[in-house]
Amino acid sequence: MKATILGASGLLGKALMREWSGDEVVGLGSRDVDIRDADRVREVLQKARPDWIVLAAAYTDVDGCESHPDRAFAVNRDGAVNVAQAAQRIGAKLLFLSSDYVFDGKKTSPYETGDARNPQSVYGRSKAEAEIQLQEVLPECCIARTSWLFGAGGKCFPDTILKLAASRPALDVVSDQRGCPTYSVDLARAIIELCRKDASGIVHVTNAGNCSWFEFAREIVKGAGLATEVRPVSSQQMARPAPRPAYSVLSSKSLQQHGIAMPTWQDALQRYLQERKN
């Protein structure tokens, strides 16, 4: 199998490049191809002619998207459509990375793949609109929704917490938002499996279990052996430009239907801390 990864220089892209073996894999970063440039996307994919394209390139700064909506839609929606049209032209399959932010967070039980999209932020809207348009261009595409991504070699929540905890006696962390932390290594492995199984449709791909940001931070600090106190605060006390879903736990049923099981987020966190140390 031949695979092309778009967004190979990002957190997930790096993990995909490290984890994917036994197939012919080409990784392209934003310097190689800007997905907003339809002609360049077409040219690059025409030349590579992969069986699978994994689209991990995105504008993921959730607060940045609020102040730069044009960029958010140009990259996350229009760029994705450019890739889907190029994939259709060469007969390649596409796996698109989407987000828990396509939901409004008003549920109190895990979101299923068929639940209604109702994004509350620009980032969420750009991903939701991309999903809809991709399914029109490439009905057989695979949309992998994930959440709370973390991993070595880039900016992520555990990295931020560890850096702050190293210099502060106490940290205030939001306790009224729940989701599923997802380790880039485990996500990469699941994506490789989905491609090998010729998956299509929407799949929710996260580590098992869920927690609040406060619980996640407490576990990070404890796991790193730091004495920093972690204190719970409300979202209102820590106001951010973009609204976050209060509850965005994704159900694992769709992933289990493909015969794929993910480790718990606690297990993933231990491996991340070890990887970071090394």
Side-chain angles (χ1 to χ4, degrees):
M1 180 167 76
K2 288 172 77 174
T4 296
I5 296 157
L6 298 174
S9 53
L11 206 60
L12 174 59
K14 284 176 188 164
L16 279 163
M17 292 304 291
R18 282 197 308 269
E19 294 296 321
W20 207 322
S21 60
D23 292 307
E24 199 183 313
V25 183
V26 174
L28 301 171
S30 53
R31 284 181 186 165
D32 306 302
V33 57
D34 182 337
I35 60 170
R36 291 172 292 186
D37 182 344
D39 292 337
R40 177 71 181 141
V41 168
R42 198 163 49 240
E43 178 196 334
V44 163
L45 293 174
Q46 189 82 43
K47 194 176 165 191
R49 296 200 83 83
D51 302 302
W52 271 97
I53 298 159
V54 176
L55 178 48
Y59 180 29
T60 57
D61 177 352
V62 177
D63 290 325
C65 286
E66 289 296 311
S67 31
H68 302 101
D70 291 351
R71 183 181 168 194
F73 285 103
V75 176
N76 296 343
R77 180 194 62 200
D78 305 343
V81 170
N82 289 340
V83 174
Q85 287 170 338
Q88 184 197 41
R89 196 170 277 112
I90 59 168
K93 297 187 177 85
L94 173 66
L95 185 143
F96 171 69
L97 264 298
S98 192
S99 165
D100 57 329
Y101 280 47
V102 302
F103 297 119
D104 59 19
K106 295 191 173 116
K107 264 187 94 173
T108 51
S109 60
Y111 279 93
E112 301 296 343
T113 55
D115 284 336
R117 303 174 183 94
N118 189 23
Q120 301 297 295
S121 62
V122 170
Y123 172 72
R125 283 211 314 279
S126 70
K127 284 291 190 181
E129 288 183 21
E131 287 188 5
I132 293 162
Q133 292 193 24
L134 289 192
Q135 288 186 311
E136 286 169 8
V137 177
L138 267 188
E140 289 301 297
C141 72
C142 181
I143 292 167
R145 291 185 186 136
T146 192
S147 65
W148 294 26
L149 184 67
F150 69 94
K155 196 174 154 227
C156 62
F157 182 76
D159 185 59
T160 303
I161 290 295
L162 290 168
K163 282 176 179 164
L164 291 173
S167 60
R168 293 186 191 178
L171 294 175
D172 293 338
V173 184
V174 168
S175 63
D176 55 4
Q177 292 170 21
R178 287 196 86 76
C180 307
T182 306
Y183 184 28
S184 58
V185 172
D186 294 338
L187 178 58
R189 288 172 182 166
I191 286 168
I192 295 162
E193 278 289 291
L194 287 168
C195 292
R196 287 183 177 152
K197 287 171 188 254
D198 270 341
S200 64
I202 300 172
V203 190
H204 287 171
V205 193
T206 66
N207 278 108
N210 65 79
C211 60
S212 67
W213 288 114
F214 161 71
E215 289 163 345
F216 192 19
R218 199 174 51 184
E219 199 74 19
I220 292 161
V221 168
K222 191 175 108 187
L226 299 168
T228 312
E229 183 193 357
V230 183
R231 302 179 299 215
V233 293
S234 71
S235 300
Q236 267 178 316
Q237 287 170 278
M238 303 280 277
R240 307 275 294 275
R244 266 77 173 164
Y247 182 94
S248 64
V249 177
L250 301 178
S251 164
S252 62
K253 276 183 200 164
S254 54
L255 195 62
Q256 286 163 2
Q257 282 165 0
H258 289 283
I260 300 169
M262 299 273 276
T264 64
W265 67 264
Q266 293 95 330
D267 173 82
L269 176 62
Q270 285 179 327
R271 284 178 288 124
Y272 162 79
L273 291 170
Q274 194 56 50
E275 187 189 354
R276 198 174 181 272
K277 208 189 279 181
N278 295 342

